[in-house]
Amino acid sequence: MVNINVAQGMRMRRRKLWILAMMSVAALSFTACGSKQEETPASEEVVDFGELTGKNDTAQTEQAQTEETATEVQTEEENREGMYRSEITNEWIDESLKDQRPVAVMVDNEKVALKHFGTAEADIVYEMMNSTANDRITRLMCIYKDYNSVPTIGSIRSIRPTNVILAGEYNAICVHDGGPYYINEWLAKPWSDNLSAGFARIPNGKKREFTEYVTTGEVNNRIAAAGYSKNYTPLYLSTRERESHFLFNPVETLLSTTYGGVGVASATQINLTPAFPHNKSMLKYNANTMTYDYYEYGSLHTDGEDGQALTFKNVILQETSFSQLDAHGYLIYNAIGYMPSTTATGYYFTDGQVIPITWYKNGETAITKYYDYTGQEIKLNLGKTYIGLIPSDAWTAIGIG
């Protein structure tokens, strides 16, 4: 439910946001995103929300039928013995994990750090600029609820202020190896716990900075040594009622059904190269798995230990402005509240489809909420989620096709 202030703001901004969304999409093109090898094939349709119309009776009927079926299925599954639905994926997981805080692990995303270990097991993966230097290299923040089930995660590197802020949404314990002094004020917040450095060093033929990994049991031992709570903290719980981080569809639901066809378009490729030129990040829809596979440096991303692809049921792109902190390229994203332009726009992708969205985060530990252009909070499908914080200065250049 959107609060009153947000809802009023939504109504005032709705027409402006929709026009801006259509303008943004009209500017999207693979041909502006990189080399000729990355150009959109002539037969590939580029998203054009301007051609889409409002709801129709058929779509509304389909939506009602789907919601009725979803309710029935949800009722049947409500009481799986010894299990509960994860608050960050909606998947059924062991009930013993219900009160356990997630961890947010900073994973080095430089090419020499590949292949990663354990990233495909992450529940949520954030990608964002780590610095404006080095061709805007990115870093991944991988969030795990059942972190003890993942034998090795990494390699791990330093953290940035934005990561601390976003991890706070989940009451997650940050796992990293140091960072610039700009992180100090954020790590000192009463809601922020972190474990820095001192994790396992695994020889891999690379320089020392690429050899640090989190291994099974280390997080639990470090949490106990630091005196942190392994479970959700009273301070965190006191700021909100216990709730899922996102709203979820009770069963697999196509966007065209969920939103009655309003603003829904096909989207099988997402080219983020203009935003992240160093990594050349892309997501491609895999019709066999009905998920979006993550690519970077021109190749499908797979984990080093088992070859598992990094793939996502849900993809959220969040246009976010940033402030550069010094000449070295350190920065902080303006991830709290609407951007100064009051047009915090974005996109939500699932099942090869996309809708334009907007977002709002009203405090340091508040959950970032994502809304469709009518002001209703979006519902995700069951599974893992990729969230990309796309710099505003590159937003209109990203490619969707």
Side-chain angles (χ1 to χ4, degrees):
M1 178 67 70
V2 183
N3 65 45
I4 293 175
N5 291 333
V6 174
Q8 290 175 340
M10 286 288 184
R11 287 193 292 270
M12 295 174 63
R13 287 185 288 270
R14 187 176 302 154
R15 181 172 178 79
K16 183 177 179 181
L17 285 171
W18 186 237
I19 293 172
L20 286 170
M22 289 191 293
M23 291 173 62
S24 296
V25 174
L28 298 177
S29 172
F30 281 118
T31 57
C33 299
S35 66
K36 293 184 181 294
Q37 288 83 356
E38 296 170 343
E39 292 179 355
T40 306
S43 61
E44 187 172 82
E45 181 181 357
V46 176
V47 178
D48 183 3
F49 290 112
E51 296 179 356
L52 299 169
T53 58
K55 292 184 178 180
N56 54 56
D57 293 339
T58 301
Q60 290 177 354
T61 301
E62 290 176 353
Q63 181 178 359
Q65 292 173 342
T66 300
E67 289 175 350
E68 182 178 351
T69 302
T71 301
E72 293 174 358
V73 173
Q74 186 182 37
T75 301
E76 292 174 1
E77 294 186 341
E78 275 178 356
N79 297 305
R80 286 196 185 184
E81 186 175 356
M83 304 187 78
Y84 87 107
R85 284 194 178 275
S86 166
E87 57 271 32
I88 53 180
T89 66
N90 205 40
E91 296 171 318
W92 289 102
I93 61 175
D94 195 279
E95 193 170 21
S96 64
L97 299 168
K98 189 170 186 178
D99 295 326
Q100 179 172 287
R101 301 166 69 181
V103 297
V105 184
M106 296 302 304
V107 176
D108 194 334
N109 208 25
E110 177 57 273
K111 190 173 184 179
V112 70
L114 303 180
K115 288 187 173 182
H116 292 146
F117 281 69
T119 52
E121 284 74 35
D123 295 312
I124 299 169
V125 174
Y126 282 86
E127 182 174 21
M128 66 192 81
M129 275 195 302
N130 192 50
S131 168
T132 59
N134 302 319
D135 211 19
R136 294 193 170 190
I137 188 171
T138 69
R139 190 152 291 175
L140 304 181
M141 182 172 76
C142 298
I143 297 179
Y144 302 83
K145 177 72 172 176
D146 188 10
Y147 50 83
N148 286 314
S149 68
V150 188
T152 308
I153 303 172
S155 62
I156 67 172
R157 289 296 289 273
S158 57
I159 201 168
R160 300 292 182 266
T162 307
N163 300 111
V164 181
I165 294 169
L166 294 176
E169 293 191 16
Y170 303 84
N171 199 209
I173 298 171
C174 294
V175 175
H176 62 106
D177 190 335
Y181 75 90
Y182 302 109
I183 66 174
N184 294 343
E185 65 172 295
W186 294 102
L187 293 179
K189 300 282 186 178
W191 46 263
S192 175
D193 291 337
N194 78 102
L195 306 172
S196 177
F199 290 93
R201 291 286 177 176
I202 301 176
N204 56 15
K206 302 174 185 178
K207 292 182 179 179
R208 180 175 173 80
E209 59 262 37
F210 303 111
T211 63
E212 189 173 8
Y213 298 83
V214 179
T215 59
T216 302
E218 284 190 286
V219 169
N220 279 346
N221 293 338
R222 294 284 297 274
I223 288 174
Y228 297 147
S229 171
K230 182 180 176 181
N231 294 333
Y232 286 120
T233 64
L235 176 62
Y236 172 80
L237 294 173
S238 68
T239 62
R240 65 171 71 93
E241 293 181 7
R242 181 66 179 269
E243 59 178 320
S244 291
H245 196 85
F246 306 105
L247 294 184
F248 290 100
N249 292 307
V251 295
E252 179 79 10
T253 306
L254 294 175
L255 290 176
S256 57
T257 302
T258 306
Y259 296 94
V262 178
V264 180
S266 174
T268 57
Q269 292 199 60
I270 310 166
N271 191 342
L272 304 181
T273 298
F276 306 139
H278 182 88
N279 299 78
K280 297 180 175 58
S281 306
M282 298 185 70
L283 292 119
K284 298 181 181 181
Y285 183 63
N286 185 330
N288 293 324
T289 60
M290 297 182 67
T291 57
Y292 285 88
D293 294 338
Y294 176 75
Y295 289 72
E296 63 175 345
Y297 302 110
S299 300
L300 174 67
H301 182 290
T302 56
D303 276 357
E305 75 278 15
D306 57 10
Q308 188 176 353
L310 184 56
T311 192
F312 304 93
K313 187 63 182 180
N314 308 290
V315 173
I316 294 172
L317 302 184
Q318 183 177 326
E319 179 192 2
T320 318
S321 63
F322 66 90
S323 301
Q324 186 166 321
L325 300 174
D326 61 23
H328 300 291
Y330 290 123
L331 62 95
I332 184 170
Y333 277 95
N334 301 315
I336 301 175
Y338 284 107
M339 297 181 294
S341 63
T342 71
T343 57
T345 57
Y347 295 109
Y348 169 53
F349 304 78
T350 190
D351 293 328
Q353 299 176 302
V354 60
I355 60 168
I357 60 172
T358 186
W359 61 268
Y360 182 70
K361 176 177 169 67
N362 66 6
E364 291 179 354
T365 61
I367 295 173
T368 302
K369 296 293 185 179
Y370 301 97
Y371 306 96
D372 66 24
Y373 79 98
T374 70
Q376 297 299 309
E377 186 174 354
I378 65 171
K379 293 181 179 180
L380 306 190
N381 278 323
L382 176 147
K384 303 177 186 298
T385 299
Y386 168 99
I387 302 176
L389 267 62
I390 310 301
S392 294
D393 59 9
W395 179 249
T396 58
I398 60 175
I400 302 174

